Amino acid sequence: FGALKGAADGGLNVPHNVKRFPGSFRDDDGEVSYDPAKHREYIFGVHVANYMRLLQEDDEEAYNKQFSGYINAGIGADDIEGIYEAAHAAIREDPNRARDTKELGYFKTTDKNRD
């Protein structure tokens, strides 16, 4: 939904309805309302950070298992939103950045399969 929101905000004519976005709800009149702040939270991973905090408080073992990659990389719940912001800024700066030669494509799994 983040990609759809970005495409629509960028001016692409993508048929959609905001009721599919996170932060959408029906008000008392039955009309669909949309909370862009809630959608922003999902785009920038705030929901992941909140889950990290919750799991860390409630079940340390499950937290260590679920977020071991983040822990090993030194990433905490307070770092998540900044990482997403930096990624978005890098994409806006150079949306057509070439891949590193060490990056493999989706269907290219080994150097042997490369041309």
Side-chain angles (χ1 to χ4, degrees), residues 72-95:
N72 292 337
I75 298 170
D78 295 334
D79 303 321
I80 299 292
E81 188 171 359
I83 290 170
Y84 277 88
E85 287 173 353
H88 288 219
I91 292 167
R92 282 190 298 277
E93 182 179 316
D94 185 9

Side-chain angles (χ1 to χ4, degrees), residues 31-91:
E31 296 292 318
V32 175
S33 295
Y34 172 65
D35 180 7
K38 187 68 168 177
H39 194 177
R40 183 197 180 284
E41 288 181 7
Y42 279 83
I43 291 171
F44 285 95
V46 175
H47 64 296
V48 175
N50 290 339
Y51 182 63
M52 285 178 76
R53 289 184 192 97
L54 176 75
L55 201 56
Q56 190 173 22
E57 291 174 8
D58 292 348
D59 189 349
E60 186 75 24
E61 185 179 331
Y63 168 78
N64 290 332
K65 183 178 179 182
Q66 182 75 28
F67 294 104
S68 63
Y70 285 40
I71 294 166
N72 292 337
I75 298 170
D78 295 334
D79 303 321
I80 299 292
E81 188 171 359
I83 290 170
Y84 277 88
E85 287 173 353
H88 288 219
I91 292 167

Side-chain angles (χ1 to χ4, degrees), residues 25-33:
F25 58 93
R26 290 198 183 276
D27 60 17
D28 295 336
D29 298 330
E31 296 292 318
V32 175
S33 295

